[in-house]
Amino acid sequence: SDVMAFIYPAYMSFKAIESADPVDDTQWLTYWVVFSLFSIVENVASFLIAWIPFYYVIKIAFFAWLCHPKFMGAGLVYKQVVKPFVMPYLAAFEAQKPQKKED
């Protein structure tokens, strides 16, 4: 299932890098953020996966929805799930970063 979630998006990401349109860059960068966070959660909760019937079928359908240009699911997941939960921590982390001293 990771192969399907990786091959097509990687190919489209390479195409997006070479295109002049920034919209597809944003779409694929958003996809990779969602993909990486999903992978982290999946590894942490791996003991639960064995109990979910048809988990890999559901996972393939989810990743197909994330990267399909008609649905743009990665953007929706980012705006509704990732951004509200991750951005406050990222802002707090940035505020705690030591400032560079100027000579």
Side-chain angles (χ1 to χ4, degrees), residues 60-100:
I60 289 171
F62 176 68
F63 279 109
W65 175 75
L66 284 179
C67 68
H68 195 282
K70 180 180 177 184
F71 302 113
M72 303 277 235
L76 181 66
V77 170
Y78 178 80
K79 288 177 189 162
Q80 298 293 320
V81 179
V82 176
K83 190 174 181 180
F85 291 107
V86 174
M87 291 308 284
Y89 295 106
L90 188 59
F93 177 74
E94 290 291 324
Q96 296 296 324
K97 225 169 39 172
Q99 300 295 325
K100 289 185 179 180

Side-chain angles (χ1 to χ4, degrees), residues 10 13 24 32-34 38 43-44 49 52 56 60 67 69 74 77 79 81 84-85 89 91 94 98 100:
S13 296
D24 58 0
W32 290 115
V33 167
V34 173
F38 182 87
N43 283 328
V44 170
I49 291 173
I52 300 173
Y56 291 103
I60 289 171
C67 68
V77 170
K79 288 177 189 162
V81 179
F85 291 107
Y89 295 106
E94 290 291 324
K100 289 185 179 180

Side-chain angles (χ1 to χ4, degrees), residues 3-48:
V3 172
M4 194 289 297
F6 188 80
I7 298 295
Y8 176 72
Y11 170 72
M12 294 305 291
S13 296
F14 285 122
K15 285 181 63 173
I17 290 169
E18 297 301 321
S19 76
D21 185 18
V23 173
D24 58 0
D25 296 348
T26 303
Q27 175 188 355
W28 292 110
L29 186 57
T30 304
Y31 173 83
W32 290 115
V33 167
V34 173
F35 176 86
S36 63
L37 289 175
F38 182 87
S39 296
I40 291 168
V41 170
E42 182 181 39
N43 283 328
V44 170
S46 62
F47 62 94
L48 295 174

